[in-house]
């Protein structure tokens, strides 16, 4: 059994080299890539979140942890590739207006890609109009909205309204997720589904498209 605590600690310390070294050791030890992400990298980030909340860590330190986490994910990502050559459909993903959190959204996009979907990642602080333009340009079937702040949650509703006023809501399924999101909120704003994590998002997209 691989000891993930060193990897989590390196994320907490914002030690990018340490993360890369320990993630590589886990890869060499043939540890399941998803476990490296969930039990090592995300576990570390969860501690960062808890410490950030009680002012035991501050924004510059959190940014270093985020950079270390991203470096680890980038190292593991190629091992998650499903090898599928055909796409099951295109997903447009982004974090909504006013919200700059991108780690969870990128993980969801990565897992969808690994499951055979084409993913267009619009990044963070994405407006409803940008989602509309991307759906049209890519003939997408799914719009995936991420949000991490209670103050930006309602931008998901706004985005769905923009999709409707621009006439494309009927052509796409809208799924949402992120730490403050609940099933009740998802139902209230008229989305087609909610997932708590990246694996759940893949299951949801598969269900909605079949
Ligand atoms: Co921010 N931040 N942050 N932050 N930050 C949170 C979200 C917070 C909970 C921290 C806290 O207080 N404990 C808090 C929000 C509180 C609230 O709204 N009630 C918070 C705050 C307050 C802020 C600022 C306002 C702080 C400030 O400036 N005073 C500010 C806002 C900036 C802005 O967005 N406008 C801010 C800034 C930042 C940083 C820039 C420093 C950095 C982001 C760096 C980056 O993303 N490049 C940051 C970080 C890192 C965090 C925490 C610590 C970690 C987030 C993370 O990456 N988690 C976070 C605390 C926490 O979440 N515990 C926090 C790891 C990631 C794998 O998980 O993102 O939850 P997560 O994604 C999961 C699921 O949520 C789900 O699947 C993912 C994978 O399992 N999921 C989906 C996500 N999107 C989905 C979409 C789906 C389905 C599932 O379908 C479409």
């Amino acid at each position: 059994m691989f000891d993930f605590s060193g990897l989590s600690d390196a994320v907490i310390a914002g030690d990018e080299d340490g993360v890369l070294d320990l993630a590589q050791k886990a890869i060499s030890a043939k540890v399941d890539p998803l476990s490296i992400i969930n039990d090592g990298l995300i576990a570390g980030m969860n501690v960062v979140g808890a410490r950030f909340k009680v002012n035991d860590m501050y924004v510059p330190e959190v940014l270093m942890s985020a950079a270390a986490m991203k470096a680890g994910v980038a190292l593991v990502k190629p091992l998650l590739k499903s090898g599928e050559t055909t796409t099951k459909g295109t997903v447009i993903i982004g974090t909504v207006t006013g919200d700059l959190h991108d780690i969870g959204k990128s993980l969801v996009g990565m897992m969808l890609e690994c499951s055979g979907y084409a993913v267009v990642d619009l990044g963070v602080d994405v407006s409803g109009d940008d989602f509309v333009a991307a759906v049209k340009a890519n003939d997408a079937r799914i719009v995936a909205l991420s949000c991490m702040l209670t103050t930006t949650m309602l931008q998901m509703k706004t985005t769905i309204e923009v999709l409707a006023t621009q006439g494309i809501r009927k052509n796409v399924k809208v799924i949402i997720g992120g730490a403050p999101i609940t099933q009740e909120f998802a139902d209230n704003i008229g989305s087609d589904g909610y997932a708590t994590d990246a694996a759940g998002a893949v299951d949801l997209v598969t269900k909605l498209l079949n």
Side-chain angles (χ1 to χ4, degrees):
M1 173 82 182
F2 189 81
D3 178 11
F4 291 104
S5 60
L7 188 53
S8 300
D9 287 346
V11 170
I12 298 163
D15 174 7
E16 191 170 322
D17 290 343
V19 166
L20 288 172
D21 180 47
L22 290 166
Q24 187 54 58
K25 285 198 169 97
I27 291 168
S28 304
K30 307 248 177 296
V31 175
D32 172 21
L34 262 185
S35 276
I36 301 176
I37 292 178
N38 289 327
D39 303 327
L41 301 172
I42 292 184
M45 212 58 202
N46 286 341
V47 174
V48 172
R51 291 180 57 184
F52 187 38
K53 190 173 185 177
V54 296
N55 293 328
D56 190 30
M57 281 181 84
Y58 296 96
V59 171
E61 297 163 291
V62 176
L63 279 174
M64 286 175 70
S65 293
M69 159 128 192
K70 280 197 215 175
V73 170
L75 188 69
V76 176
K77 183 178 171 184
L79 306 176
L80 291 171
K81 283 281 175 200
S82 69
E84 292 192 48
T85 49
T86 54
T87 168
K88 298 178 185 168
T90 300
V91 179
I92 309 293
I93 192 165
T95 307
V96 294
T97 298
D99 198 324
L100 304 177
H101 295 85
D102 77 340
I103 297 173
K105 176 266 302 165
S106 300
L107 276 175
V108 172
M110 194 177 89
M111 290 289 288
L112 285 166
E113 223 171 47
C114 294
S115 305
Y117 297 96
V119 174
V120 178
D121 188 338
L122 301 182
V124 296
D125 192 18
V126 183
S127 70
D129 287 341
D130 289 343
F131 278 108
V132 168
V135 168
K136 286 182 179 166
N138 296 281
D139 194 20
R141 302 174 66 194
I142 296 273
V143 172
L145 307 177
S146 179
C147 139
M148 290 295 287
L149 298 170
T150 45
T151 49
T152 54
M153 283 168 74
L154 281 178
Q155 287 299 330
M156 293 179 144
K157 183 168 187 267
T158 306
T159 302
I160 292 173
E161 286 165 0
V162 173
L163 291 168
T165 53
Q166 298 291 323
I168 57 170
R169 176 68 183 96
K170 58 188 180 308
N171 304 338
V172 291
K173 300 287 185 192
V174 179
I175 69 162
I176 70 172
I181 307 303
T182 60
Q183 184 63 55
E184 190 187 7
F185 178 77
D187 293 340
N188 284 343
I189 66 166
S191 73
D192 295 300
Y194 150 71
T196 51
D197 57 21
V202 173
D203 290 344
L204 183 59
V205 169
T206 305
K207 195 176 100 190
L208 288 169
L209 291 184
N210 288 299

